[in-house]
């Protein structure tokens, strides 16, 4: 059974930091790019980052310079270090297999649903 479970969320003040962790199982982890997605209240889910199998990570513009991922293909985990958090980062964060889509000058991340969405982990940033 394919599972991707996010954990590590919490309540933090603006400017603070949190580290999320994604634990994956049930598939050959290093065959896939793994991404972080988030869904804020009343908004659609958006891709935040996409970490290629053995390569680099791409990020959406709004988190570049603040968020960093680290991928461990032995432990089958991808962590998301979030610094300088802003209230607009408040969302439920999920991890999922991802695809990088380039459309003209825009790049976004699409989930490739190898398995179901997990419960996610709630990040709340207070102002």
């Amino acid at each position: 059974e394919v599972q991707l479970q996010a954990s590590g969320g919490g309540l933090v003040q603006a400017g603070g930091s949190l580290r999320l962790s994604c634990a994956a199982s049930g598939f050959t982890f290093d065959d896939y790019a793994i991404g972080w997605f988030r869904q804020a209240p009343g908004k659609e889910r958006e891709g935040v980052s996409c970490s290629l199998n053995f390569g680099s990570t791409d990020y959406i513009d709004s988190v570049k310079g603040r968020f960093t991922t680290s991928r461990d293909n032995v432990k089958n985990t991808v962590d998301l270090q979030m610094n300088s958090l802003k209230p607009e980062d408040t969302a439920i964060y999920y991890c999922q297999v991802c695809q990088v889509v380039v459309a003209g000058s825009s790049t976004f991340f699409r989930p490739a649903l190898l398995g179901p969405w997990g419960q996610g982990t709630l990040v709340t940033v207070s102002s």
Side-chain angles (χ1 to χ4, degrees):
E1 180 186 7
V2 173
Q3 289 190 339
L4 296 106
Q5 294 294 337
S7 62
L11 173 64
V12 64
Q13 287 188 330
S17 298
L18 277 176
R19 188 176 183 89
L20 307 184
S21 184
C22 172
S25 60
F27 63 102
T28 305
F29 185 77
D30 53 19
D31 279 351
Y32 296 93
I34 305 295
W36 282 95
F37 296 81
R38 67 185 180 185
Q39 188 165 19
K43 295 188 177 181
E44 292 187 357
R45 186 150 33 200
E46 66 172 349
V48 174
S49 67
C50 190
S51 298
L52 303 183
N53 313 37
F54 293 97
S56 61
T57 299
D58 208 351
Y59 303 89
I60 55 172
D61 286 346
S62 61
V63 307
K64 283 180 180 177
R66 300 189 298 121
F67 289 13
T68 306
T69 63
S70 56
R71 177 174 178 143
D72 188 324
N73 285 340
V74 175
K75 295 181 179 179
N76 291 359
T77 60
V78 178
D79 289 354
L80 180 67
Q81 177 66 42
M82 306 186 295
N83 299 326
S84 303
L85 282 161
K86 303 176 181 180
E88 51 264 42
D89 295 318
T90 294
I92 299 174
Y93 284 71
Y94 306 84
C95 53
Q96 184 55 263
V97 175
C98 60
Q99 296 174 333
V100 178
V101 179
V102 179
S105 60
S106 299
T107 299
F108 63 95
F109 313 123
R110 180 170 60 200
L113 292 175
L114 195 66
W117 289 101
Q119 288 186 334
T121 188
L122 176 62
V123 172
T124 304
V125 184
S126 62
S127 57

